[in-house]
Amino acid sequence: MEYRVLGTSEVKVSAITFGAWAIGGWMWGGADRKDALDAIRASWDNGVTSIDTAPAYGQGLSEEIIGEALQQIQRDKVQILTKYGLRWDLKKGEFFFNSTDNDGKPIDMYRYAGKESVIEECENCLRRLGTDYIDLFQIHWADNTTPIEETMEAIQLLQEQGKIKAGGVCNYTADQMKTAEKVVSLAANQVPYSMVLRDIEKELVPYCREHNKSIIAYSPLQRGLLSGKIKPGYSFNEGDTRSGNRFYTDENITRINAFLAKIRPLAETKGATLAQLVIAWTIQQPGITVALVGARNAEQAIQNARAAEVQLKPEEIMFINDQLAKLELVQP
């Protein structure tokens, strides 16, 4: 496993980091708690020392499961990345969307990052995680009802209090990062990035590389699509938001699988799965510091961790990129 520093902070994380959205169950069609605990432990045993979560993932459940897992792992040997700024327990800020919790009860999600709310959320995160500090505390989504400077004042205070080691953002534009930087030095920006979703290469990647900010890529497997295991007509569990997503139309699944068939021989020559090849490609892209990859059980976690062993030569990356250039997806 390779370990990389987030920006100019003192937080060093594993290049492959455990993404803990799915284990919270919310929007992923449920999850088994014991399997989730086994997955976290297996990840750590195989060099994945970092875990990314959020209060919204199961309305606290993901963080609680991680807190339970931390009881069996030496705290200073693991890095916890969590978030704030999505509230379901109060109607304040900017309405985001309607949803249901893991029990099927309706909830309203709001983007809210007022200073006092950020401080309150940090305390709630610490309690659920059973720890006294968070390695990276990230705003989940921008809140257009609160000045960015106000939000970042809370982050600065929490850093001074030792409750967080570094501050980060998620889903921010380069301009939003510039505004935040007037108050606090950001360590990272967590954004969607995959072989088939590379929008950030236009502006955000150059900005982050120039200013020494890390990019944490989420959904590098495009939520399972780039594993090659999803076929046209795939049936998603109830509550799984992948159903209806533009990437999951039968036509796009067919086209992506045709692309994967072209790079599969390269994976085979390295004794790797398609998913491992995709993860390896991701963490070897310019400007990408971390790839977040979820796992529902120990076997998936082990397979994800082993992607770090796959080394790609420049000409192999060029081959993959050439095949990607030929891939045309159907737009909605």
Side-chain angles (χ1 to χ4, degrees):
M1 182 61 63
E2 184 178 351
Y3 301 92
R4 299 172 174 178
V5 175
L6 294 179
T8 58
S9 75
E10 296 180 355
V11 179
K12 181 179 282 189
V13 298
S14 48
I16 296 172
T17 287
F18 186 97
W21 182 7
I23 68 170
W26 181 62
M27 301 178 78
W28 279 85
D32 181 85
R33 191 183 188 98
K34 182 183 182 302
D35 284 349
L37 289 167
D38 289 344
I40 294 170
R41 180 69 202 200
S43 293
W44 191 77
D45 286 342
N46 285 272
V48 175
T49 62
S50 311
I51 306 171
D52 178 85
T53 183
Y57 300 162
Q59 290 67 60
L61 179 59
S62 176
E63 288 186 324
E64 290 171 0
I65 291 173
I66 292 166
E68 184 175 343
L70 285 177
Q71 295 175 20
Q72 308 299 321
I73 302 173
Q74 191 174 332
R75 178 63 183 92
D76 63 356
K77 301 296 184 184
V78 64
Q79 301 81 47
I80 301 300
L81 290 55
T82 193
K83 307 179 186 76
Y84 63 90
L86 274 193
R87 301 294 298 256
W88 65 91
D89 51 341
L90 83 168
K91 300 181 185 297
K92 198 168 183 179
E94 180 182 8
F95 175 74
F96 197 9
F97 61 90
N98 301 115
S99 185
T100 55
D101 64 17
N102 286 337
D103 296 322
K105 298 177 182 177
I107 53 175
D108 295 329
M109 304 300 297
Y110 281 79
R111 299 179 181 180
Y112 182 56
K115 186 173 181 178
E116 295 305 316
S117 180
V118 176
I119 293 170
E120 178 189 18
E121 284 207 74
C122 183
E123 295 298 334
N124 290 337
C125 291
L126 292 170
R127 173 178 49 79
R128 287 189 291 259
L129 290 163
T131 186
D132 58 0
Y133 71 94
I134 293 162
D135 294 275
L136 181 70
F137 203 37
Q138 312 156 92
I139 185 168
H140 208 149
W141 287 90
D143 163 27
N144 292 320
T145 69
T146 303
I148 290 174
E149 293 90 342
E150 178 187 332
T151 299
M152 294 304 146
E153 286 173 4
I155 296 305
Q156 184 179 47
L157 177 62
L158 292 169
Q159 278 186 290
E160 292 170 353
Q161 294 175 340
K163 293 179 179 178
I164 67 174
K165 285 191 172 183
V169 296
C170 302
N171 306 299
Y172 259 38
T173 64
D175 283 342
Q176 288 170 324
M177 290 184 74
K178 291 175 187 176
T179 302
E181 286 275 332
K182 295 175 183 177
V183 179
V184 68
S185 177
L186 297 175
N189 190 355
Q190 182 178 144
V191 287
Y193 180 73
S194 73
M195 285 182 168
V196 295
L197 184 62
R198 301 171 66 179
D199 298 355
I200 65 168
E201 292 178 356
K202 299 174 185 175
E203 182 179 1
L204 191 62
V205 169
Y207 173 82
C208 289
R209 294 186 73 187
E210 180 182 352
H211 294 88
N212 198 11
K213 308 298 173 186
S214 289
I215 290 179
I216 299 173
Y218 69 80
S219 299
L221 291 171
Q222 205 54 52
R223 300 183 67 186
L225 188 54
L226 291 171
S227 68
K229 297 178 181 179
I230 295 178
K231 310 298 181 185
Y234 186 92
S235 179
F236 295 97
N237 293 334
E238 184 178 352
D240 193 322
T241 55
R242 289 177 291 180
S243 178
N245 182 287
R246 69 184 177 93
F247 286 104
Y248 296 89
T249 63
D250 283 354
E251 179 64 25
N252 281 339
I253 290 173
T254 298
R255 294 186 180 199
I256 288 172
N257 283 345
F259 154 72
L260 293 173
K262 294 176 182 176
I263 66 170
R264 188 186 299 273
L266 175 59
E268 292 172 348
T269 63
K270 295 182 177 294
T273 65
L274 273 172
Q276 288 169 336
L277 180 67
V278 171
I279 295 168
W281 175 91
T282 303
I283 60 175
Q284 292 180 52
Q285 291 305 293
I288 304 300
T289 308
V290 170
L292 295 183
V293 192
R296 290 177 182 266
N297 54 55
E299 180 55 32
Q300 289 177 359
I302 293 168
Q303 292 301 314
N304 290 342
R306 288 179 178 168
E309 301 170 7
V310 180
Q311 293 298 313
L312 295 172
K313 300 174 183 176
E315 59 268 27
E316 292 170 334
I317 292 177
M318 187 177 299
F319 166 75
I320 293 172
N321 291 343
D322 287 344
Q323 299 305 315
L324 277 172
K326 300 173 186 176
L327 174 63
E328 294 184 6
L329 298 182
V330 178
Q331 298 301 318

